[in-house]
Amino acid sequence: MKGIISWFAENHVAANLLMIFMIVSGILTIFSIKLEVFPDTAPDSISILAVYPGASPEEVESAVIRRIEEAVAGLAGIKQISSNIRESFGSVYIEVVKDWDLKKLISEVKAAVDSINTFPGEAETPIVRESTRTRQIISIAVYGDVPERTLKHLAENIRDDITSLPGITMAEVSGVRTGEIQVEISEATLSRYRLTLGQVANAIRGSSLDLPAGSIKTAGGEILIRTKGRRYFANNYEDVAIITRPDGTTVTLGQIAEVKEGFEDVDITALFQGKPAATVNVYSVADQNALTVAAAVKRHVEQIEPSLPAGAQVAYYNDSSEILKDRMDLLLRNMGYGLMLVILLLGVFLKWRLAFWVTLGIPISFCAGLIALPQFDISINMVSLFAFIMVLGVVVDDAIIIGENIFRKHEEGLGPLEGTIQGALEVGQPVIFAVLTTIVAFWPLLQGGGMMGKIMRAIPVVVIAVLAASLVECLLILPAHLGRSRRSAIARKGDPNREGHVARGLKYIIRGPYTRLIRFCVQWRYATVSVGLLLLLLCIGLWQGGWIKFIFMPRLEGDFLMSSVTLPVGQPVERTKEVVARLERVAREVLNEADQQRPEGAPPLLKYSSSLIGAQFSGGPMGGSSIGGHLAQVNIMLLSSEQRDISSAELSNRWRKAIGHIPDVESITFSAEMHGAGNAIQVNLSMDDPDRLLVAADQLKAELEKYPGVYDLRDSYQTGKMEMQLKLKPAARSLGLTLNNLAAQVRHAFYGAEALRLQRGEDEVKVIVRYPDAERKSLGDVESMRIRTPTGMEVPFKNVAEVTMKRGYASLQRVQRQRVVTVYGNVDEKIANSNEVRRELVLHHLPQLKSSFPGLRYSMEGEAKEQAESLGDVFRAFIIALFCIYALLA
């Protein structure tokens, strides 16, 4: 170490080159590093998506999901299997053991799923893929009082234009329904022509295809042979021959059916500023810059706005780049203030020349730290910027020690070069160990598991990189600068050793009271250690006694308000629209009232409102969505936090109180939080007896309602739609009918017989054959239909089918191959502490609940699970770090 320090002190050109390299490399890294609001963290998990069109949740569970779970359950590397099941759809979420080979496990899961050959014929092939998280940057709303097809067409054109812009590769259209070619045939027509809907679908399937037929090698060249018969639009199907008689006459599809362009039969409506809308969501992928992507989208929106048809409007919203810029400006401003304070304090207590060179180490170390970030896949985001601010005051400590000791040697009369080398060497080893102990103290954060562990990972990487760079700067670069600076100071007129009053006062305190205190503590060392232990135990007691609260992940307020509403399953979508309209109206009233209480001339709090009727998007591990006409979400975008003097949490509470109780709403939640570690309270309950399980869930919610500060209590159970469950009567078997014949004909009539799928442009369009809409509205339509036997005879439905009416499930959740009911809740940390509430649950209420319901199983999920996974490894690594620090200091 002595030789390296001496060489750099003597060769100031090398020190300057090293400094320039660190600064320039850091600046160049800034232009290529990712910019995002929060770290892009993909979960170590695998998702399996399965679609079973028209099936109830119980059918999807028994016919698809359970078979997938059983097939993959024995694979090594799986930590937990969770499933979410809804009507026509199911997803299996596989959580992978930490540091397991994810790619290899994906291949094994695909092989296991592909080996299942007992899926229903109507079920689609499950899709196995690695779970990923996309970074949505900005959204574009095309809205107005225009037809749905026009909105969809405009949104698709905008999407195509956006993805063709430089630097943007991913955009999706949402809030619109997929196109569909609908073939509707009445029961009377089918009876007249003695047809079934399945036969019509087969005829359509056989008349629309493109098929290569090889080639002919002629003397003039090779000629390809192709059959071109694919029909892409509804009017192309009207001449399809359904019946061909012996005399050559035909009955075409256009003669017996209404063929039209339509949309899939789902209740999805998007609203923007209260008007129908289609949304284009733009994402950044790989290393694409969020600020660049957002700026390009905004320019494009301004360009296309004048060219829109009458009645249509376009606007961009949900711009996360604005949040990123605001947070970066705030953090960089605070960083600048901190830098000035460091310079001021060093200048007051030390020489101004020393203060300058010591402070110069901050930007040098920061630039060198930036070089390391891409190597560890760390971006510039709110977490990494916070780490830079946190290390701001630490990074100058080593430079202060070395710089002050060098000046002390100069004051003692040593020459510039000799004093510089001796001053750096004298304290070099303690400085190295001091920095190493700090690095070791931050190392445990690198061991955190779960999603929060991946987010917190940016903090230790930044701190360790900057501290390591500061060590290089203070040992190799700073001595060379101070040695040169000292020569200049000696050459000047006047007394170079003069000191300010503050510096002299500081020396007096050090040599007087401080020295006497140190001698006393060393003399009475056992008493000193006892006082230290007493203070440590006092701090632990304050924490354990509840005087100091622990919050795992503070809930950051966003610049928005969001409400998710769930009505009873089967409720008409018109009622959902009424509730959404009420939510938007009350939100505007609350914000208008808040505006009146603000200073005159202040900008309004409301920027825009957007709503989605027919779906809810969740931020859970699967990141999926729930679909149904009974679901809705309302989003209110607010003025940025820097421009308003009222918190979004306060506005959310006012909105909740103003809404009050809506009688027919099963659950309604309000949120103003941008990020969190999951639900503050999330308990999974499972039991073999489903009825008793629901009673246990209700009792748990009743107990949680007694806690002050606990709100938005709900559970995952929701009664589903009434089901008409069919069985074949014994007499039907004598007619040659099977249960499969009955089920297929009823499914074709009411859900539809899928004739084929075709790619039309960028959309996959289905051709569906079924009853007209007017014949699919009542139970009487089912009872009045005619069932065709294999011999062609028609019999009334009620003669061959036995009907049982039963209410099913709206959705099902499974964890570790067991059905569960999940109880959710949030905690207002100003009133209660989520850790204390969960501790009470685990120690008292859940054991009591288990004793009251034998066979009950429970587990803590959400924030509790994330906290245990993230901090468990951190605490173990912290113990190791303590031993390492002891070894360094011993």
Side-chain angles (χ1 to χ4, degrees), residues 93-142:
Y93 175 78
I94 300 174
E95 191 176 350
V96 182
V97 172
K98 184 180 178 182
D99 298 328
W100 197 267
D101 189 343
L102 184 60
K103 301 298 181 184
K104 179 181 178 182
L105 184 56
I106 289 177
S107 300
E108 294 174 351
V109 170
K110 285 183 177 178
V113 174
D114 291 341
S115 66
I116 303 173
N117 54 15
T118 56
F119 288 136
E122 295 81 4
E124 300 181 7
T125 303
I127 300 173
V128 181
R129 62 188 179 190
E130 179 183 352
S131 298
T132 57
R133 291 179 184 269
T134 54
R135 305 189 301 273
Q136 183 175 331
I137 303 301
I138 193 171
S139 297
I140 305 170
V142 186

Side-chain angles (χ1 to χ4, degrees), residues 125-410:
T125 303
I127 300 173
V128 181
R129 62 188 179 190
E130 179 183 352
S131 298
T132 57
R133 291 179 184 269
T134 54
R135 305 189 301 273
Q136 183 175 331
I137 303 301
I138 193 171
S139 297
I140 305 170
V142 186
Y143 64 104
D145 297 319
V146 294
E148 181 181 1
R149 192 172 299 280
T150 301
L151 290 175
K152 185 174 186 291
H153 177 70
L154 290 173
E156 289 174 343
N157 287 342
I158 292 174
R159 175 199 59 193
D160 295 340
D161 294 340
I162 289 292
T163 52
S164 65
L165 295 175
I168 302 178
T169 56
M170 184 176 179
E172 295 178 346
V173 177
S174 65
V176 294
R177 296 181 293 175
T178 304
E180 194 174 76
I181 297 176
Q182 298 172 347
V183 180
E184 297 183 346
I185 309 176
S186 67
E187 172 62 34
T189 302
L190 291 173
S191 180
R192 183 184 315 122
Y193 290 98
R194 303 179 69 81
L195 290 170
T196 65
L197 292 172
Q199 291 172 336
V200 175
N202 289 334
I204 294 173
R205 191 177 301 115
S207 65
S208 176
L209 78 162
D210 290 344
L211 185 67
S215 62
I216 301 175
K217 297 182 179 179
T218 66
E222 186 174 0
I223 300 174
L224 298 177
I225 305 174
R226 294 183 60 193
T227 302
K228 289 285 290 180
R230 180 71 77 187
R231 304 166 189 260
Y232 290 96
F233 297 95
N235 55 11
N236 300 145
Y237 287 87
E238 294 184 351
D239 62 347
V240 172
I242 303 300
I243 300 175
T244 301
R245 298 189 177 96
D247 58 1
T249 60
T250 61
V251 176
T252 63
L253 186 64
Q255 293 174 323
I256 65 172
E258 181 182 2
V259 187
K260 60 183 180 181
E261 295 283 349
F263 294 98
E264 59 180 340
D265 189 16
V266 294
D267 296 318
I268 291 183
T269 304
L271 301 175
F272 186 81
Q273 299 290 57
K275 296 183 178 181
T279 302
V280 181
N281 298 317
V282 184
Y283 303 86
S284 67
V285 296
D287 294 335
Q288 292 175 352
N289 189 310
L291 301 180
T292 304
V293 170
V297 170
K298 293 175 185 177
R299 287 193 301 268
H300 184 73
V301 169
E302 293 173 357
Q303 293 172 0
I304 64 175
E305 190 171 8
S307 62
L308 294 177
Q313 297 174 273
V314 64
Y316 59 82
Y317 71 104
N318 200 21
D319 182 6
S320 64
S321 71
E322 292 292 335
I323 302 174
L324 176 59
K325 285 191 293 186
D326 291 343
R327 300 304 186 269
M328 286 184 63
D329 290 343
L330 176 63
L331 294 174
L332 292 175
R333 188 164 58 249
N334 291 341
M335 187 181 296
Y337 293 153
L339 190 63
M340 288 188 291
L341 286 174
V342 169
I343 296 174
L344 180 62
L345 290 174
L346 290 177
V348 168
F349 291 103
L350 301 174
K351 306 276 189 193
W352 282 102
R353 193 173 297 106
L354 172 60
F356 170 76
W357 288 118
V358 168
T359 307
L360 186 63
I362 296 177
I364 295 174
S365 301
F366 277 20
C367 288
L370 284 170
I371 302 173
L373 298 192
Q375 314 306 319
F376 295 93
D377 196 25
I378 302 296
S379 63
I380 295 296
N381 53 69
M382 291 178 62
V383 178
S384 58
L385 285 174
F386 168 76
F388 276 112
I389 291 178
M390 183 172 61
V391 78
L392 179 65
V394 181
V395 74
V396 295
D397 291 348
D398 48 5
I400 291 174
I401 295 171
I402 289 180
E404 195 277 335
N405 201 52
I406 289 173
F407 262 70
R408 185 174 64 85
K409 291 295 182 182
H410 290 164

Side-chain angles (χ1 to χ4, degrees), residues 519-550:
R519 287 174 178 170
F520 176 83
C521 292
V522 172
Q523 183 178 358
W524 298 90
R525 54 187 181 277
Y526 296 114
T528 303
V529 172
S530 300
V531 171
L533 290 175
L534 176 64
L535 292 175
L536 176 62
L537 294 175
L538 179 61
C539 293
I540 295 174
L542 290 173
W543 175 29
Q544 293 297 318
W547 291 88
I548 299 176
K549 307 295 184 182
F550 174 77

Side-chain angles (χ1 to χ4, degrees), residues 564-567 616 664-669 713-715 718:
S564 298
V565 60
T566 303
L567 279 76
Q616 285 180 357
D664 56 343
V665 170
E666 290 209 351
S667 72
I668 182 169
T669 61
L713 283 171
R714 61 202 185 279
D715 60 54
Q718 187 179 10

